[in-house]
Amino acid sequence: MKKNILTVKDLYVGGKMIAFIKGNRSVNPKNISKKKESLEKFGMNLVPLMYVEGQKAVNDGCTLVHPITKNAIPNEEASKYVAIIEGQHRYTAAKETDLNEEMLFLYECYSDKDTNEILAETNTVTDPWSGADYANGAALFNPQNELAKFTKELADLGYPTTTIGYIACFAPGKLGKTAYSKLIAGKEIKTDYNLERAKYFLDAARTKFKDTFISKRYLITVVADLSTEHGYKRVCDALKQMPDAIVKRVQEAKSEEKQGILKMTLVNLLNK
């Protein structure tokens, strides 16, 4: 059985230091601000941080980083650390408010499962990651996976994960947080995606629109719908023939009008 609740001071006295895990969610300033308010109100963290031994994290394929500088910690020093897997924002807020180390509580994760699996699960069922966090985490923990790399590339360009999933699957709702969690844990997913098709769409779309527009789902919704009847290559090739005047009209149209203009234009081009 694992130890009971400890304080950060207890860890320090026992010769341990705090580390984060590379690829865990990015620390969000807004979230930090909320955590500070709670810490200042109660003088302690009401929900304990959860950690695993640093050596276990490294043995499971993770890389430890310094919680403040984010510099990588050599694997051979892992035994000197514990790795926070749930509570990065609370820890950072505590450091920034100079909270007494005897009032910052934490406990060792009770599960002996792989650290990547624990990390994926805790960030799905507790304080959820943002879409970019999921995409970045999936690419870091599963770097050889083509889908993970593809989603990170689009997330880095500002694409929401809902649009990324739509582009990858040509349908909504098939690539969600559960799928990303499996990627983070190094598992394969059964989602019906097609990256060749996705890249063909993006190449065509970028001949007419910027990523800031493509990321908003107007275009992929219409293209995916028409592809059911005409095939994605025909629809994407038609997209490349869209007149610049229509492109401008779409961009200037009201939100509720954009898809209608796109669909009408593409249908006309397909019927020529």
Side-chain angles (χ1 to χ4, degrees):
M1 192 68 177
K2 306 294 184 183
K3 296 178 180 178
N4 294 321
I5 299 295
L6 302 172
T7 69
V8 169
K9 181 68 176 292
D10 293 329
L11 286 177
Y12 290 164
V13 171
K16 295 284 189 177
M17 295 177 283
I18 301 288
F20 286 174
I21 293 178
K22 184 178 180 181
N24 200 349
R25 68 189 308 183
S26 300
V27 175
N28 186 308
K30 290 183 180 180
N31 201 342
I32 294 276
S33 180
K34 292 179 181 178
K35 303 304 183 190
K36 284 182 178 179
E37 291 177 8
S38 178
L39 292 173
E40 290 171 351
K41 180 178 181 179
F42 294 97
M44 60 182 290
N45 57 314
L46 296 178
V47 179
L49 316 178
M50 183 167 66
Y51 71 88
V52 297
E53 288 290 339
Q55 191 61 59
K56 170 181 167 50
V58 168
N59 291 346
D60 288 340
C62 299
T63 298
L64 304 184
V65 296
H66 189 279
I68 305 301
T69 68
K70 302 303 185 291
N71 291 331
I73 295 168
N75 287 351
E76 55 268 25
E77 296 182 14
S79 61
K80 302 176 183 177
Y81 292 84
V82 301
I84 303 297
I85 55 175
E86 207 287 303
Q88 289 187 133
H89 286 84
R90 274 164 279 153
Y91 179 79
T92 304
K95 295 299 288 184
E96 292 185 4
T97 55
D98 291 323
L99 181 72
N100 187 328
E101 292 166 351
E102 293 184 49
M103 300 305 293
L104 183 55
F105 299 94
L106 70 175
Y107 69 98
E108 186 175 3
C109 179
Y110 298 115
S111 174
D112 290 323
K113 291 280 190 180
D114 184 282
T115 301
N116 292 326
E117 288 191 55
I118 298 171
L119 185 65
E121 181 69 12
T122 56
N123 283 292
T124 301
V125 300
T126 55
D127 194 3
W129 281 3
S130 69
D133 290 329
Y134 273 99
N136 288 328
L140 182 69
F141 289 124
N142 207 344
Q144 303 307 314
N145 185 282
E146 287 189 335
L147 178 60
K149 289 189 286 186
F150 176 79
T151 58
K152 176 173 170 49
E153 288 171 3
L154 291 189
D156 287 346
L157 292 173
Y159 281 67
T161 50
T162 51
T163 305
I164 297 172
Y166 213 134
I167 292 172
C169 303
F170 262 45
K174 289 191 175 183
L175 184 61
K177 292 179 179 178
T178 299
Y180 281 112
S181 295
K182 288 183 178 179
L183 285 174
I184 290 170
K187 298 179 179 179
E188 291 295 327
I189 61 174
K190 296 181 180 180
T191 300
D192 184 21
Y193 62 91
N194 184 327
L195 297 188
E196 179 182 345
R197 178 182 60 194
K199 292 173 183 177
Y200 199 93
F201 162 74
L202 287 170
D203 288 342
R206 285 166 175 161
T207 65
K208 295 297 178 179
F209 297 95
K210 294 182 179 179
D211 283 292
T212 50
F213 180 83
I214 304 170
S215 69
K216 294 179 181 177
R217 283 184 57 171
Y218 302 116
L219 193 55
I220 183 57
T221 300
V222 173
V223 170
D225 180 51
L226 292 176
S227 294
T228 302
E229 179 181 353
H230 301 282
Y232 75 89
K233 287 189 177 180
R234 279 196 65 205
V235 179
C236 291
D237 290 345
L239 172 58
K240 290 189 283 188
Q241 303 305 314
M242 186 176 290
D244 292 342
I246 298 296
V247 172
K248 182 178 180 182
R249 182 184 168 197
V250 169
Q251 293 172 327
E252 294 176 349
K254 295 179 180 178
S255 296
E256 61 270 21
E257 298 173 345
K258 294 182 188 294
Q259 286 183 212
I261 299 171
L262 287 166
K263 186 169 185 177
M264 180 180 65
T265 303
L266 288 174
V267 168
N268 289 336
L269 289 168
L270 287 164
N271 289 333
K272 280 187 177 181

